[in-house]
Amino acid sequence: MCIIAAEVPMRAVDIIEKKRDGETLTHEEIHFFVNGFTNGEIPDYQTSAWAMAVLFQGMTPKETADLTMAMAHSGDVIDLSDVVDLALDKHSTGGVGDKTTLVIEPIVSACGVPVGKMSGRGLSFTGGTLDKMESIPGYNVNLTIDEFKHQLKTVGLVLAGQTGDLAPADGKLYALRDVTGTVPSIPLIASSVMSKKLASGAQAIVLDVKIGLGAFMPDVDQARELAQRMVDIGLHADRKVMALLSDMNQPLGWAVGNALEVKEAIDTLKGQGSKEFADHCYEVAAYMLILAGVAKDTDEGRKMAAGAVQAGRAIERFTALVATQGGDASVIEHPEKLPHADLVQEIPSPITGSIHQINAREVGLTVMQLGGGRERKGDPIDHAVGVVLHHRVGDKVQRGEVLFTLHANDDDKAAQAVQRLLAATKISQKPAEPLPLFYGSVWPEV
Ligand code: URA
């Protein structure tokens, strides 16, 4: 007699319990769960319970790769191979004052490598590239896939929002994680970032993983683990991926706030910005040029990046980008045409000493409260408001010397911002060390 075992249908609750008990999920179980919550068959409460189980129990690299691929294929998957030889991209895990995309993409394009990027909006204390670009009057971030491809082919540079229905599973899961305390999980962050990158057609990606007070990863060890997980997913998906680990304890660059950051990006592209911020951008650009096969090492990549700025080719590329996407390119010569706030106020240091901390998260939250960021998706924002820093961690300051310039459009909010910025800044008599720009790099483990 031959006994044929009846196939037991999968159930979401069994998968949740399995993960709760620390077991490893199979490829089939992960796909079943992702398909289920994407099409609404698995309700939000079960998806949230599962996310919490993943947060506590973690996932193996294989489970994380399976989750990424299932989310990447939950919607459209763009193929850019008909318009570029290599679809090159960069991604920052998010931070405060991070306007690097506005600088790096034109630099890389000026070095002869086309770059098309689908960016996001700011949420909570972190800024978003689309909001920054929308400070430029007329700039259109909404392109169709065909428009995106056409511009990538003809102009060699695109900076737009997400087109089509990319990784809808991530959109749904991220919204639930945001309100259930399940964002800071390495496998969930890694699969969220990489599923969007894979769906958007990127074949080579430089990841900028942020560390510190204004980042999801508080320390170098956790950031390295997240970075390793993401580059290994890239290897598994047959993409070239490497990651840089960079500081986000204090804001990146000098400006925080949409229009103020656009102005800093323009200055940097003209070679008139700060050396420190330019160095950060040249480093990321150098790794993109290495992945693209046009620079043999970081030395050469950095030189190519700096050369593109000095020769005026990088700002030329940014001008072409703005004009092609309908923006008023005259802001590049006349930044006074960018939105500007009514109230501009200098904040002096209350004491003499050395700066030990300028808490990036607190500066980001200050700008958000001034109206420059949003609490909920879809909230309107004020592009003009923000903060310009005058010092960095490690600097000595005298009592009365300017620490920040505040740009606000509301007296009460400005008064609160002054208190918050002063509380975010730790000054003491002991000497303070400057913070590094980078903490290292991570490559696939082969
Ligand atoms: N950025 C993402 O896209 N996803 C996360 O989970 C965290 C940061």
Side-chain angles (χ1 to χ4, degrees):
M1 192 174 72
C2 158
I3 300 170
I4 300 173
E7 207 173 286
V8 182
M10 275 192 209
R11 297 189 316 155
V13 63
D14 298 328
I15 296 171
I16 297 166
E17 287 176 4
K18 195 170 171 187
K19 186 40 71 187
R20 178 200 66 194
D21 297 340
E23 291 179 49
T24 301
L25 302 179
T26 65
H27 174 91
E28 289 74 23
E29 286 164 339
I30 289 173
H31 278 257
F32 169 84
F33 208 92
V34 170
N35 291 339
F37 71 69
T38 308
N39 66 27
E41 279 166 20
I42 297 179
D44 288 357
Y45 52 82
Q46 283 188 307
T47 307
S48 307
W50 173 84
M52 191 59 86
V54 172
L55 181 124
F56 280 114
Q57 295 292 359
M59 275 185 153
T60 65
K62 163 83 170 61
E63 284 178 293
T64 314
D66 284 342
L67 177 61
T68 308
M69 296 315 278
M71 294 208 296
H73 287 92
S74 62
D76 297 335
V77 178
I78 299 176
D79 179 4
L80 298 171
S81 62
D82 52 337
V83 283
V84 280
D85 292 338
L86 180 85
L88 180 65
D89 203 352
K90 77 169 266 287
H91 181 84
S92 150
T93 56
V96 179
D98 186 353
K99 72 288 290 175
T100 54
T101 293
L102 280 60
V103 178
I104 294 167
E105 306 272 311
I107 288 178
V108 173
S109 175
C111 293
V113 180
V115 261
K117 182 158 170 56
M118 293 180 195
S119 287
R121 296 197 178 275
L123 193 61
S124 181
F125 65 92
T126 66
T129 297
L130 299 185
D131 297 325
K132 295 172 207 210
M133 290 306 286
E134 281 180 346
S135 308
I136 301 173
Y139 190 86
N140 173 29
V141 299
N142 300 311
L143 301 185
T144 63
I145 292 180
D146 285 344
E147 287 167 340
F148 185 96
K149 284 181 151 191
H150 178 74
Q151 187 175 323
L152 183 57
K153 188 172 179 161
T154 55
V155 183
L157 185 55
V158 195
L159 202 39
Q162 198 168 292
T163 63
D165 186 24
L166 293 193
D170 174 63
K172 225 167 163 183
L173 183 58
Y174 194 86
L176 284 179
R177 288 169 55 212
D178 206 24
V179 292
T180 56
T182 50
V183 170
S185 147
I186 286 175
L188 293 180
I189 296 175
S191 54
S192 167
V193 169
M194 291 304 290
S195 62
K196 286 180 288 223
K197 293 285 121 187
L198 299 184
S200 69
Q203 290 157 312
I205 308 155
V206 173
L207 298 166
D208 186 359
V209 178
K210 303 287 184 200
I211 302 163
L213 296 164
F216 290 115
M217 293 294 118
D219 61 52
V220 177
D221 288 347
Q222 287 185 59
R224 192 174 288 283
E225 199 183 326
L226 172 65
Q228 193 68 59
R229 205 55 84 88
M230 292 195 286
V231 297
D232 289 345
I233 292 169
L235 183 70
H236 177 91
D238 212 16
R239 315 291 159 107
K240 292 189 200 176
V241 185
M242 65 80 58
L244 289 165
L245 306 176
S246 71
D247 185 73
M248 190 37 77
N249 282 296
Q250 64 186 338
L252 185 53
W254 299 96
V256 185
N258 297 290
L260 295 168
E261 291 188 48
V262 170
K263 166 134 184 10
E264 185 178 7
I266 291 171
D267 289 345
T268 309
L269 283 165
K270 289 178 177 169
Q272 296 162 3
S274 73
K275 180 179 176 321
E276 191 189 69
F277 179 60
D279 283 348
H280 182 108
C281 295
Y282 296 164
E283 188 76 7
V284 180
Y287 281 98
M288 291 177 77
L289 295 170
I290 291 172
L291 288 196
V294 299
K296 65 175 184 315
D297 55 29
T298 43
D299 244 14
E300 188 179 33
R302 280 189 222 108
K303 279 189 192 132
M304 286 172 73
V309 168
Q310 279 145 21
R313 284 183 282 118
I315 192 68
E316 221 175 78
R317 299 273 63 222
F318 187 73
T319 308
L321 169 76
V322 171
T324 309
Q325 288 187 223
D328 178 1
S330 72
V331 301
I332 292 159
E333 285 315 312
H334 298 282
E336 69 280 3
K337 289 187 177 179
L338 288 166
H340 47 85
D342 290 338
L343 213 149
V344 178
Q345 180 184 344
E346 291 182 338
I347 306 176
S349 176
I351 57 169
T352 295
S354 297
I355 302 181
H356 287 253
Q357 188 178 89
I358 305 172
N359 185 320
R361 177 182 289 252
E362 281 300 307
V363 176
L365 286 168
T366 305
V367 174
M368 191 185 105
Q369 285 183 345
L370 287 168
R374 52 177 73 77
E375 209 126 8
R376 269 174 298 275
K377 228 174 163 176
D379 284 352
I381 59 167
D382 183 345
H383 290 97
V385 298
V387 175
V388 176
L389 283 73
H390 291 253
H391 288 281
R392 306 204 64 72
V393 169
D395 285 0
K396 287 197 178 114
V397 282
Q398 298 296 317
R399 181 165 183 258
E401 216 181 305
V402 178
L403 286 178
F404 303 100
T405 303
L406 184 67
H407 295 246
N409 275 324
D410 178 300
D411 288 328
D412 291 342
K413 287 182 181 169
Q416 285 164 13
V418 171
Q419 295 314 316
R420 195 160 193 166
L421 288 170
L422 288 175
T425 310
K426 288 199 181 135
I427 302 174
S428 88
Q429 306 316 309
K430 280 191 284 175
E433 284 298 312
L435 290 166
L437 282 180
F438 292 97
Y439 296 94
S441 61
V442 175
W443 296 85
E445 277 177 345
V446 275

PDB file of all heavy atoms in Angstrom, residues 91-94 170 174 177 182-196 216 226, ligand 1:
ATOM      1  N   HIS A  91      23.254  54.821  -2.441  1.00  0.00           N
ATOM      2  CA  HIS A  91      22.151  54.914  -1.483  1.00  0.00           C
ATOM      3  C   HIS A  91      22.717  55.219  -0.106  1.00  0.00           C
ATOM      4  O   HIS A  91      23.645  54.556   0.356  1.00  0.00           O
ATOM      5  CB  HIS A  91      21.367  53.602  -1.433  1.00  0.00           C
ATOM      6  CG  HIS A  91      20.209  53.662  -0.489  1.00  0.00           C
ATOM      7  ND1 HIS A  91      18.977  54.178  -0.859  1.00  0.00           N
ATOM      8  CD2 HIS A  91      20.092  53.312   0.805  1.00  0.00           C
ATOM      9  CE1 HIS A  91      18.161  54.130   0.175  1.00  0.00           C
ATOM     10  NE2 HIS A  91      18.811  53.613   1.205  1.00  0.00           N
ATOM     11  N   SER A  92      22.146  56.229   0.522  1.00  0.00           N
ATOM     12  CA  SER A  92      22.544  56.533   1.895  1.00  0.00           C
ATOM     13  C   SER A  92      21.431  56.038   2.809  1.00  0.00           C
ATOM     14  O   SER A  92      20.249  56.149   2.461  1.00  0.00           O
ATOM     15  CB  SER A  92      22.734  58.044   2.030  1.00  0.00           C
ATOM     16  OG  SER A  92      22.443  58.453   3.337  1.00  0.00           O
ATOM     17  N   THR A  93      21.809  55.483   3.966  1.00  0.00           N
ATOM     18  CA  THR A  93      20.765  54.982   4.870  1.00  0.00           C
ATOM     19  C   THR A  93      20.049  56.130   5.589  1.00  0.00           C
ATOM     20  O   THR A  93      19.183  55.888   6.412  1.00  0.00           O
ATOM     21  CB  THR A  93      21.330  53.962   5.886  1.00  0.00           C
ATOM     22  OG1 THR A  93      22.412  54.593   6.583  1.00  0.00           O
ATOM     23  CG2 THR A  93      21.789  52.706   5.218  1.00  0.00           C
ATOM     24  N   GLY A  94      20.401  57.351   5.269  1.00  0.00           N
ATOM     25  CA  GLY A  94      19.595  58.484   5.745  1.00  0.00           C
ATOM     26  C   GLY A  94      20.245  59.219   6.894  1.00  0.00           C
ATOM     27  O   GLY A  94      20.906  58.623   7.736  1.00  0.00           O
ATOM     28  N   ASP A 170       7.666  46.307   0.350  1.00  0.00           N
ATOM     29  CA  ASP A 170       8.464  47.111   1.277  1.00  0.00           C
ATOM     30  C   ASP A 170       7.664  48.326   1.742  1.00  0.00           C
ATOM     31  O   ASP A 170       7.699  48.680   2.923  1.00  0.00           O
ATOM     32  CB  ASP A 170       9.778  47.571   0.629  1.00  0.00           C
ATOM     33  CG  ASP A 170      10.516  48.511   1.562  1.00  0.00           C
ATOM     34  OD1 ASP A 170      10.892  48.050   2.657  1.00  0.00           O
ATOM     35  OD2 ASP A 170      10.655  49.703   1.243  1.00  0.00           O
ATOM     36  N   TYR A 174       7.195  48.721   5.567  1.00  0.00           N
ATOM     37  CA  TYR A 174       7.863  49.848   6.208  1.00  0.00           C
ATOM     38  C   TYR A 174       6.865  50.695   6.993  1.00  0.00           C
ATOM     39  O   TYR A 174       7.135  51.137   8.119  1.00  0.00           O
ATOM     40  CB  TYR A 174       8.637  50.701   5.190  1.00  0.00           C
ATOM     41  CG  TYR A 174       9.577  51.640   5.906  1.00  0.00           C
ATOM     42  CD1 TYR A 174      10.860  51.216   6.269  1.00  0.00           C
ATOM     43  CD2 TYR A 174       9.166  52.905   6.307  1.00  0.00           C
ATOM     44  CE1 TYR A 174      11.701  52.041   6.991  1.00  0.00           C
ATOM     45  CE2 TYR A 174      10.002  53.731   7.023  1.00  0.00           C
ATOM     46  CZ  TYR A 174      11.269  53.296   7.361  1.00  0.00           C
ATOM     47  OH  TYR A 174      12.096  54.114   8.086  1.00  0.00           O
ATOM     48  N   ARG A 177       6.219  48.911  10.166  1.00  0.00           N
ATOM     49  CA  ARG A 177       7.395  48.947  11.054  1.00  0.00           C
ATOM     50  C   ARG A 177       7.528  50.301  11.728  1.00  0.00           C
ATOM     51  O   ARG A 177       7.891  50.401  12.899  1.00  0.00           O
ATOM     52  CB  ARG A 177       8.658  48.629  10.248  1.00  0.00           C
ATOM     53  CG  ARG A 177       8.752  47.170   9.834  1.00  0.00           C
ATOM     54  CD  ARG A 177       9.857  46.965   8.823  1.00  0.00           C
ATOM     55  NE  ARG A 177      11.128  47.447   9.312  1.00  0.00           N
ATOM     56  CZ  ARG A 177      12.090  47.975   8.537  1.00  0.00           C
ATOM     57  NH1 ARG A 177      11.920  48.068   7.231  1.00  0.00           N
ATOM     58  NH2 ARG A 177      13.212  48.396   9.061  1.00  0.00           N
ATOM     59  N   THR A 182       9.481  48.471  14.972  1.00  0.00           N
ATOM     60  CA  THR A 182      10.273  47.384  14.373  1.00  0.00           C
ATOM     61  C   THR A 182      11.178  47.878  13.230  1.00  0.00           C
ATOM     62  O   THR A 182      11.571  47.087  12.381  1.00  0.00           O
ATOM     63  CB  THR A 182       9.347  46.243  13.878  1.00  0.00           C
ATOM     64  OG1 THR A 182       8.305  46.811  13.079  1.00  0.00           O
ATOM     65  CG2 THR A 182       8.732  45.495  15.022  1.00  0.00           C
ATOM     66  N   VAL A 183      11.510  49.169  13.256  1.00  0.00           N
ATOM     67  CA  VAL A 183      12.462  49.662  12.238  1.00  0.00           C
ATOM     68  C   VAL A 183      13.887  49.156  12.509  1.00  0.00           C
ATOM     69  O   VAL A 183      14.532  48.627  11.609  1.00  0.00           O
ATOM     70  CB  VAL A 183      12.405  51.208  12.116  1.00  0.00           C
ATOM     71  CG1 VAL A 183      13.549  51.719  11.251  1.00  0.00           C
ATOM     72  CG2 VAL A 183      11.075  51.643  11.511  1.00  0.00           C
ATOM     73  N   PRO A 184      14.421  49.269  13.754  1.00  0.00           N
ATOM     74  CA  PRO A 184      15.859  48.973  13.915  1.00  0.00           C
ATOM     75  C   PRO A 184      16.218  47.487  13.957  1.00  0.00           C
ATOM     76  O   PRO A 184      16.698  46.968  14.954  1.00  0.00           O
ATOM     77  CB  PRO A 184      16.229  49.667  15.232  1.00  0.00           C
ATOM     78  CG  PRO A 184      14.953  49.784  15.971  1.00  0.00           C
ATOM     79  CD  PRO A 184      13.811  49.718  15.013  1.00  0.00           C
ATOM     80  N   SER A 185      15.970  46.796  12.881  1.00  0.00           N
ATOM     81  CA  SER A 185      16.319  45.374  12.761  1.00  0.00           C
ATOM     82  C   SER A 185      17.213  45.239  11.535  1.00  0.00           C
ATOM     83  O   SER A 185      16.841  45.680  10.442  1.00  0.00           O
ATOM     84  CB  SER A 185      15.030  44.556  12.573  1.00  0.00           C
ATOM     85  OG  SER A 185      15.266  43.439  11.756  1.00  0.00           O
ATOM     86  N   ILE A 186      18.386  44.658  11.705  1.00  0.00           N
ATOM     87  CA  ILE A 186      19.333  44.579  10.581  1.00  0.00           C
ATOM     88  C   ILE A 186      18.737  43.847   9.370  1.00  0.00           C
ATOM     89  O   ILE A 186      18.770  44.386   8.258  1.00  0.00           O
ATOM     90  CB  ILE A 186      20.679  44.006  11.064  1.00  0.00           C
ATOM     91  CG1 ILE A 186      21.393  45.102  11.888  1.00  0.00           C
ATOM     92  CG2 ILE A 186      21.554  43.528   9.901  1.00  0.00           C
ATOM     93  CD1 ILE A 186      22.683  44.695  12.542  1.00  0.00           C
ATOM     94  N   PRO A 187      18.141  42.653   9.520  1.00  0.00           N
ATOM     95  CA  PRO A 187      17.597  42.005   8.307  1.00  0.00           C
ATOM     96  C   PRO A 187      16.453  42.805   7.680  1.00  0.00           C
ATOM     97  O   PRO A 187      16.321  42.817   6.442  1.00  0.00           O
ATOM     98  CB  PRO A 187      17.105  40.638   8.788  1.00  0.00           C
ATOM     99  CG  PRO A 187      17.168  40.656  10.258  1.00  0.00           C
ATOM    100  CD  PRO A 187      18.080  41.753  10.686  1.00  0.00           C
ATOM    101  N   LEU A 188      15.639  43.479   8.508  1.00  0.00           N
ATOM    102  CA  LEU A 188      14.516  44.239   7.926  1.00  0.00           C
ATOM    103  C   LEU A 188      15.014  45.488   7.206  1.00  0.00           C
ATOM    104  O   LEU A 188      14.505  45.850   6.139  1.00  0.00           O
ATOM    105  CB  LEU A 188      13.475  44.584   8.999  1.00  0.00           C
ATOM    106  CG  LEU A 188      12.726  43.377   9.595  1.00  0.00           C
ATOM    107  CD1 LEU A 188      11.711  43.825  10.651  1.00  0.00           C
ATOM    108  CD2 LEU A 188      12.021  42.553   8.515  1.00  0.00           C
ATOM    109  N   ILE A 189      16.019  46.174   7.759  1.00  0.00           N
ATOM    110  CA  ILE A 189      16.551  47.360   7.068  1.00  0.00           C
ATOM    111  C   ILE A 189      17.267  46.918   5.785  1.00  0.00           C
ATOM    112  O   ILE A 189      17.060  47.493   4.707  1.00  0.00           O
ATOM    113  CB  ILE A 189      17.522  48.164   7.969  1.00  0.00           C
ATOM    114  CG1 ILE A 189      16.797  48.726   9.192  1.00  0.00           C
ATOM    115  CG2 ILE A 189      18.156  49.314   7.179  1.00  0.00           C
ATOM    116  CD1 ILE A 189      17.709  49.440  10.196  1.00  0.00           C
ATOM    117  N   ALA A 190      18.094  45.875   5.901  1.00  0.00           N
ATOM    118  CA  ALA A 190      18.866  45.423   4.727  1.00  0.00           C
ATOM    119  C   ALA A 190      17.933  45.022   3.588  1.00  0.00           C
ATOM    120  O   ALA A 190      18.132  45.413   2.434  1.00  0.00           O
ATOM    121  CB  ALA A 190      19.766  44.249   5.118  1.00  0.00           C
ATOM    122  N   SER A 191      16.880  44.269   3.895  1.00  0.00           N
ATOM    123  CA  SER A 191      15.983  43.809   2.825  1.00  0.00           C
ATOM    124  C   SER A 191      15.157  44.967   2.282  1.00  0.00           C
ATOM    125  O   SER A 191      14.853  45.017   1.084  1.00  0.00           O
ATOM    126  CB  SER A 191      15.083  42.672   3.326  1.00  0.00           C
ATOM    127  OG  SER A 191      14.405  43.083   4.480  1.00  0.00           O
ATOM    128  N   SER A 192      14.816  45.930   3.141  1.00  0.00           N
ATOM    129  CA  SER A 192      14.037  47.092   2.700  1.00  0.00           C
ATOM    130  C   SER A 192      14.843  47.917   1.689  1.00  0.00           C
ATOM    131  O   SER A 192      14.367  48.243   0.597  1.00  0.00           O
ATOM    132  CB  SER A 192      13.681  47.935   3.940  1.00  0.00           C
ATOM    133  OG  SER A 192      13.196  49.185   3.584  1.00  0.00           O
ATOM    134  N   VAL A 193      16.077  48.242   2.061  1.00  0.00           N
ATOM    135  CA  VAL A 193      16.924  49.066   1.174  1.00  0.00           C
ATOM    136  C   VAL A 193      17.204  48.317  -0.125  1.00  0.00           C
ATOM    137  O   VAL A 193      17.010  48.833  -1.231  1.00  0.00           O
ATOM    138  CB  VAL A 193      18.249  49.421   1.891  1.00  0.00           C
ATOM    139  CG1 VAL A 193      19.252  50.035   0.926  1.00  0.00           C
ATOM    140  CG2 VAL A 193      17.997  50.370   3.067  1.00  0.00           C
ATOM    141  N   MET A 194      17.641  47.054   0.008  1.00  0.00           N
ATOM    142  CA  MET A 194      18.116  46.335  -1.177  1.00  0.00           C
ATOM    143  C   MET A 194      16.964  45.921  -2.104  1.00  0.00           C
ATOM    144  O   MET A 194      17.149  45.852  -3.316  1.00  0.00           O
ATOM    145  CB  MET A 194      18.946  45.120  -0.757  1.00  0.00           C
ATOM    146  CG  MET A 194      20.272  45.489  -0.122  1.00  0.00           C
ATOM    147  SD  MET A 194      21.319  46.549  -1.165  1.00  0.00           S
ATOM    148  CE  MET A 194      21.797  45.392  -2.448  1.00  0.00           C
ATOM    149  N   SER A 195      15.773  45.674  -1.558  1.00  0.00           N
ATOM    150  CA  SER A 195      14.659  45.300  -2.453  1.00  0.00           C
ATOM    151  C   SER A 195      14.333  46.458  -3.393  1.00  0.00           C
ATOM    152  O   SER A 195      14.094  46.266  -4.586  1.00  0.00           O
ATOM    153  CB  SER A 195      13.420  44.884  -1.651  1.00  0.00           C
ATOM    154  OG  SER A 195      12.952  45.957  -0.866  1.00  0.00           O
ATOM    155  N   LYS A 196      14.383  47.699  -2.866  1.00  0.00           N
ATOM    156  CA  LYS A 196      14.081  48.872  -3.719  1.00  0.00           C
ATOM    157  C   LYS A 196      15.180  49.065  -4.763  1.00  0.00           C
ATOM    158  O   LYS A 196      14.911  49.399  -5.912  1.00  0.00           O
ATOM    159  CB  LYS A 196      13.941  50.128  -2.849  1.00  0.00           C
ATOM    160  CG  LYS A 196      12.625  50.126  -2.068  1.00  0.00           C
ATOM    161  CD  LYS A 196      12.481  51.338  -1.207  1.00  0.00           C
ATOM    162  CE  LYS A 196      13.393  51.301  -0.025  1.00  0.00           C
ATOM    163  NZ  LYS A 196      12.899  51.699   1.251  1.00  0.00           N
ATOM    164  N   PHE A 216      20.214  55.162  12.064  1.00  0.00           N
ATOM    165  CA  PHE A 216      19.556  53.980  12.638  1.00  0.00           C
ATOM    166  C   PHE A 216      20.549  53.110  13.399  1.00  0.00           C
ATOM    167  O   PHE A 216      20.193  52.419  14.334  1.00  0.00           O
ATOM    168  CB  PHE A 216      18.928  53.129  11.527  1.00  0.00           C
ATOM    169  CG  PHE A 216      17.742  53.777  10.885  1.00  0.00           C
ATOM    170  CD1 PHE A 216      17.758  54.148   9.559  1.00  0.00           C
ATOM    171  CD2 PHE A 216      16.606  54.051  11.634  1.00  0.00           C
ATOM    172  CE1 PHE A 216      16.676  54.753   8.967  1.00  0.00           C
ATOM    173  CE2 PHE A 216      15.509  54.659  11.056  1.00  0.00           C
ATOM    174  CZ  PHE A 216      15.546  55.015   9.715  1.00  0.00           C
ATOM    175  N   LEU A 226      25.174  45.512   9.304  1.00  0.00           N
ATOM    176  CA  LEU A 226      24.132  45.890   8.328  1.00  0.00           C
ATOM    177  C   LEU A 226      24.738  45.994   6.925  1.00  0.00           C
ATOM    178  O   LEU A 226      24.182  45.473   5.954  1.00  0.00           O
ATOM    179  CB  LEU A 226      23.498  47.237   8.729  1.00  0.00           C
ATOM    180  CG  LEU A 226      22.539  47.840   7.706  1.00  0.00           C
ATOM    181  CD1 LEU A 226      21.300  46.969   7.501  1.00  0.00           C
ATOM    182  CD2 LEU A 226      22.102  49.258   8.128  1.00  0.00           C
TER     183      LEU A 226
HETATM  184  N1  URA B   1      15.691  53.039   4.809  1.00  0.00           N
HETATM  185  C1  URA B   1      14.904  52.144   4.168  1.00  0.00           C
HETATM  186  O1  URA B   1      14.647  52.251   2.969  1.00  0.00           O
HETATM  187  N2  URA B   1      14.388  51.117   4.891  1.00  0.00           N
HETATM  188  C2  URA B   1      14.646  50.935   6.208  1.00  0.00           C
HETATM  189  O2  URA B   1      14.173  49.973   6.783  1.00  0.00           O
HETATM  190  C3  URA B   1      15.451  51.887   6.858  1.00  0.00           C
HETATM  191  C4  URA B   1      15.981  52.927   6.124  1.00  0.00           C
END
